[in-house]
């Protein structure tokens, strides 16, 4: 841990006795982004800094490749709360937020720190409607596809939504937070941008998607509904789904490989003919099992591949960002990383995977060394990013995205 820094977590899982599927966990706008767990989302609250910082975790994913999605709530020195990257405002989530409101004051500011992360953007409008006194501050250059729509059409409150200025001192929370905007990276039909927030008093850095760290064991929020872990713990479709601690661990580590590499080199994808034949004899063929469809064959060595990726919890930039996004603007990205690394933070809270992460500004900056003209262990292995690089070449060939650039 950096500089002897320690963190104690106080976890608050809803004590409601209502069964899963209750209105407390219902997200009725799930169809705006129809991904797992669809209309039912559990929430866990953790206290990161006593009476100062809390995280709220839910899950999201496709084909049971599920990972945590996280919002962070910070108590302001003068009372009230700042919310960074809202999650689905279910009844359960709002009850946990309102417990803090009762103790520390109203939600004053809601921050949307990205322009491309639909899994973050989709919750801001509904969350803001639950706290009508809150100001909404959003990253510049918001966009929508296929047509750019007015902000109010995207669900942002018309009369209380403002654009984050380049200078954080111009905001009403600038006396407590610094922030740095990774200026918009043009990808062709879309753009990418992210805003990192630094809470000076707690020495905490808040980021959205640029940095992650992988825990060895499954996050608690996934343990509450472990079926996705068990689904991916199988080596092939013919294996039964069995719930044991070892299977949960295996499933989580494979989900990490899926999430970051899409198709790691230790995973063989079966052709559809064989996949459908396997589905007919699979022991699990219900609707929740995708009718037995499981087109994966895990090869020997997959665990070592996870160990290499996890790297004892090191900070890493997700391979999809390395391969398809940040390499479109290396100098711009490195300048942003340099600016963030000037702050004296001791921990990072990202919106996905592990949090909080005890670290240093130097470790943060080193995670972006893959953009520099030097060998680095943080650059994703070529064999594991083959599919991502194929996607990159095809999108460039079709002129859907711009070609990658290189630091000069």
């Amino acid at each position: 841990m950096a500089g002897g820094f320690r963190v104690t977590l106080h976890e608050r899982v809803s004590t409601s006795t209502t069964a899963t599927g209750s209105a407390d966990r219902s997200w009725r706008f799930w169809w705006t982004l129809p991904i797992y767990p669809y209309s039912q989302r559990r929430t866990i609250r953790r206290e990161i800094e006593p009476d100062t910082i809390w995280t709220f975790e839910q899950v999201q994913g496709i084909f049971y490749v599920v990972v945590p999605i996280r919002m962070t709530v910070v108590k302001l020195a003068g009372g009230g709360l700042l919310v960074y990257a809202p999650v689905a405002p279910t009844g359960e989530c709002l009850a946990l937020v309102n417990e803090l409101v009762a103790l520390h004051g109203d939600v004053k500011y809601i921050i949307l720190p990205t322009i491309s992360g639909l899994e973050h953007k989709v919750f801001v409008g509904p969350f803001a409607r639950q706290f009508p006194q809150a100001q909404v501050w959003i990253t510049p250059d918001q966009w929508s596809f296929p047509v750019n729509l007015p902000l109010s059409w995207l669900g942002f409150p018309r009369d209380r939504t403002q654009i984050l200025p380049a200078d954080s001192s111009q905001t009403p929370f600038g006396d407590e937070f610094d922030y740095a905007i990774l200026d918009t990276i043009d990808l062709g039909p879309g753009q990418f941008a992210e805003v990192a927030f630094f809470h000076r008093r707690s020495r905490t850095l808040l980021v959205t998607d640029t940095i992650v760290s992988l825990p060895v064991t499954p996050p608690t929020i996934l343990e509450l509904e472990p079926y996705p872990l068990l689904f991916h713990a199988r080596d092939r479709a013919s294996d039964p789904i069995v719930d044991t601690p070892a299977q949960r661990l295996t499933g989580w580590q494979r989900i990490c490989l899926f999430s970051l590499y899409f198709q790691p080199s230790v995973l063989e994808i079966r052709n559809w003919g064989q996949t459908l034949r396997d589905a007919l004899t699979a022991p699990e063929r219900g609707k929740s099992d995708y009718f037995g469809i499981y087109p994966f064959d895990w090869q020997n060595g997959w665990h070592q591949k996870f160990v290499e990726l996890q790297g004892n919890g090191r900070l890493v930039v997700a391979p999809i960002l390395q391969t398809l996004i940040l390499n479109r603007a290396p100098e711009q990205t490195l300048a942003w990383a340099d600016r963030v690394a000037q702050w004296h933070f001791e921990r990072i809270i990202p919106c996905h995977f592990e949090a909080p992460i005890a670290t240093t500004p130097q470790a943060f900056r080193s995670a972006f060394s893959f953009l520099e003209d030097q060998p680095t262990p943080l650059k994703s292995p070529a064999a594991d990013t083959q599919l991502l690089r194929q996607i990159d070449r095809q999108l460039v060939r079709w002129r859907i995205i711009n070609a990658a650039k290189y630091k000069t």
Side-chain angles (χ1 to χ4, degrees):
M1 294 187 179
F5 174 75
R6 298 177 62 88
V7 61
T8 301
L9 299 182
H10 302 276
E11 189 171 288
R12 169 76 158 87
V13 182
S14 173
T15 56
S16 169
T17 58
T18 329
T20 299
S22 71
D24 282 347
R25 295 168 185 161
S26 175
W27 168 235
R28 63 192 181 95
F29 297 113
W30 67 270
W31 47 268
T32 59
L33 185 63
I35 59 176
Y36 183 88
Y38 307 108
S39 64
Q40 297 294 319
R41 292 173 177 258
R42 301 192 69 168
T43 305
I44 287 179
R45 186 183 74 206
R46 284 190 173 95
E47 185 176 64
I48 306 300
E49 177 84 358
D51 288 328
T52 302
I53 299 177
W54 301 263
T55 60
F56 291 69
E57 293 184 2
Q58 297 176 356
V59 300
Q60 65 172 25
I62 297 174
F63 204 69
Y64 290 136
V65 180
V66 297
V67 298
I69 180 170
R70 179 180 297 110
M71 82 174 175
T72 303
V73 176
V74 182
K75 177 186 173 182
L76 301 168
L81 304 169
L82 178 143
V83 175
Y84 181 92
V87 293
T90 63
E92 181 178 55
C93 176
L94 292 172
L96 293 170
V97 174
N98 283 323
E99 287 180 358
L100 301 183
V101 169
L103 293 172
H104 305 295
D106 286 337
V107 173
K108 288 188 174 181
Y109 311 111
I110 298 170
I111 310 298
L112 172 60
T114 178
I115 66 172
S116 51
L118 186 58
E119 75 274 22
H120 304 291
K121 189 183 303 190
V122 72
F123 301 127
V124 175
F127 192 93
R129 284 194 289 275
Q130 300 297 322
F131 300 96
Q133 74 288 339
Q135 297 179 20
V136 179
W137 291 82
I138 64 176
T139 306
D141 299 327
Q142 294 293 325
W143 61 280
S144 58
F145 182 85
V147 177
N148 267 325
L149 299 173
L151 292 177
S152 60
W153 289 25
L154 298 176
F156 300 116
R158 186 190 302 272
D159 57 346
R160 51 193 175 99
T161 298
Q162 301 180 63
I163 308 297
L164 288 167
D167 183 356
S168 60
S169 68
Q170 297 177 14
T171 65
F173 43 84
D175 57 339
E176 296 188 59
F177 293 87
D178 291 315
Y179 61 72
I181 302 174
L182 174 53
D183 290 331
T184 303
I185 298 175
D186 184 13
L187 304 174
Q191 294 85 37
F192 177 89
E194 179 169 322
V195 186
F197 265 61
F198 174 52
H199 185 234
R200 300 189 200 99
R201 181 159 48 96
S202 66
R203 297 191 175 185
T204 300
L205 180 69
L206 310 180
V207 298
T208 311
D209 298 317
T210 46
I211 284 289
V212 296
S213 175
L214 304 182
V216 172
T217 58
T220 302
I221 188 66
L222 269 71
E223 296 269 21
L224 297 180
E225 303 284 352
Y227 191 81
L229 303 174
L230 309 177
F231 183 86
H232 285 292
R234 297 176 294 168
D235 291 328
R236 53 194 60 85
S238 59
D239 293 343
I241 290 177
V242 180
D243 189 1
T244 67
Q247 289 291 91
R248 292 187 181 201
L249 182 64
T250 293
W252 166 245
Q253 295 182 356
R254 289 177 174 178
I255 282 172
C256 289
L257 292 171
F258 263 125
S259 299
L260 269 67
Y261 288 141
F262 287 20
Q263 186 179 334
S265 58
V266 288
L267 182 68
E268 180 181 329
I269 304 296
R270 291 186 167 220
N271 63 57
W272 275 106
Q274 185 62 54
T275 296
L276 294 175
R277 287 191 294 273
D278 291 344
L280 295 175
T281 59
E284 315 289 346
R285 297 198 300 274
K287 181 180 178 182
S288 63
D289 311 304
Y290 292 100
F291 305 102
I293 293 175
Y294 187 81
F296 312 119
D297 264 328
W298 287 94
Q299 309 300 304
N300 292 333
W302 72 264
H303 179 67
Q304 181 58 34
K305 187 64 64 176
F306 170 79
V307 170
E308 294 168 1
L309 176 63
Q310 198 268 340
N312 291 318
R314 73 181 178 209
L315 299 178
V316 64
V317 176
I320 189 172
L321 293 183
Q322 293 189 29
T323 307
L324 296 176
I325 297 177
L326 299 183
N327 57 353
R328 269 59 188 172
E331 294 184 352
Q332 180 178 321
T333 302
L334 289 170
W336 174 78
D338 285 338
R339 181 180 173 191
V340 172
Q342 292 176 3
W343 299 329
H344 300 294
F345 54 86
E346 296 179 339
R347 61 181 161 204
I348 299 178
I349 301 178
C351 286
H352 303 287
F353 292 98
E354 182 73 299
I357 308 162
T359 190
T360 66
Q362 294 75 24
F364 173 87
R365 177 58 179 82
S366 294
F368 295 88
S369 60
F370 70 93
L371 291 169
E372 298 174 306
D373 298 325
Q374 59 184 22
T376 168
L378 300 179
K379 186 175 291 185
S380 297
D384 296 306
T385 57
Q386 182 177 356
L387 177 60
L388 289 171
R389 288 182 289 112
Q390 288 175 352
I391 293 172
D392 176 45
R393 288 192 296 269
Q394 197 64 51
L395 293 177
V396 171
R397 186 176 299 119
W398 290 343
R399 299 184 180 180
I400 295 176
I401 65 173
N402 300 322
K405 299 177 182 178
Y406 299 92
K407 185 176 180 292
T408 58

